[in-house]
Amino acid sequence: MKKLLTVLLLGAIATPLALADTPAETRTKSFKKILLSFEPMGMVVRGRDPYQKDAFIRQADTLKQLAAEPFNHFPTNNISGKSRAKPEIWSQPAKFQADKDAFLKAVSELNLAAHRGDLAVIKKNYGAVAQSCKSCHDAFRGPEK
Ligand code: HEC
């Protein structure tokens, strides 16, 4: 009986811990959500899918809503488990912040272009966002583990 109780108690303590995401898992999930709106826009920009102004606006709005979210989940020196976060995120905070700001600015500009509906400008601004993803990844995201 005592043993059963211990098992039950341990279960009650362990379950919420097992279900809660680590910060690395949370930020990875939010980056993946970003990709879900960014990729379909890329298909349009590359001419693989037709340009439909309203649908494109919805994706650009979603991207703008989601863009800042992952950056709420980089607590100090949080490199755990399978995280690809590099220690430079915390040793070069000003550069990380600057890359984040450049990304958010590029996302806003792409959003404005989507609402205006000029595909040539959209393409240019989409390229700027893609470049901002890449430059941050080059500096601050390590290899897959
Ligand atoms: C300012 C930095 C920064 C910007 C901007 C940024 N990322 Fe990331 N991204 C990261 C870091 C750091 C990780 C690794 C997080 C971890 O594993 O803890 C990451 C992880 C990801 C992941 C999770 C899967 C994987 O490969 O690790 C995806 C998907 C992703 N980013 C896509 C994007 C896309 C698409 C953009 C642009 C639209 C973007 N990111 C912009 C820093 C950034």
Side-chain angles (χ1 to χ4, degrees):
M1 184 61 201
K2 206 174 168 195
K3 198 172 170 199
L4 180 65
L5 202 65
T6 312
V7 170
L8 285 175
L9 273 176
L10 277 180
I13 296 165
T15 308
L17 284 180
L19 290 178
D21 282 343
T22 64
E25 284 163 346
T26 305
R27 61 192 179 236
T28 299
K29 280 185 185 167
S30 357
F31 277 124
K32 285 184 175 166
K33 269 199 209 157
I34 287 178
L35 193 60
L36 284 182
S37 62
F38 194 58
E39 230 346 85
M41 296 168 95
M43 296 296 279
V44 174
V45 163
R46 290 189 287 270
R48 306 245 181 94
D49 282 338
Y51 170 58
Q52 286 164 330
K53 187 178 175 187
D54 289 344
F56 201 89
I57 288 174
R58 279 197 296 279
Q59 283 153 355
D61 285 349
T62 305
L63 178 64
K64 199 177 167 188
Q65 271 167 25
L66 298 173
E69 172 56 20
F71 303 101
N72 297 328
H73 305 284
F74 282 96
T76 310
N77 277 320
N78 186 261
I79 307 178
S80 60
K82 292 176 80 173
S83 175
R84 297 176 68 179
K86 284 170 104 177
E88 283 79 357
I89 291 170
W90 296 279
S91 64
Q92 298 172 11
K95 176 164 169 29
F96 188 64
Q97 180 71 35
D99 279 9
K100 171 191 154 182
D101 291 346
F103 164 65
L104 295 179
K105 184 159 174 276
V107 166
S108 286
E109 282 166 3
L110 174 60
N111 188 272
L112 281 178
H115 282 269
R116 289 202 188 108
D118 180 338
L119 189 55
V121 180
I122 286 174
K123 284 184 179 172
K124 189 172 123 298
N125 291 4
Y126 179 93
V129 175
Q131 184 53 50
S132 74
C133 311
K134 185 180 181 307
S135 64
C136 187
H137 288 165
D138 287 351
F140 296 111
R141 187 178 66 166
E144 262 178 86
K145 289 174 189 162

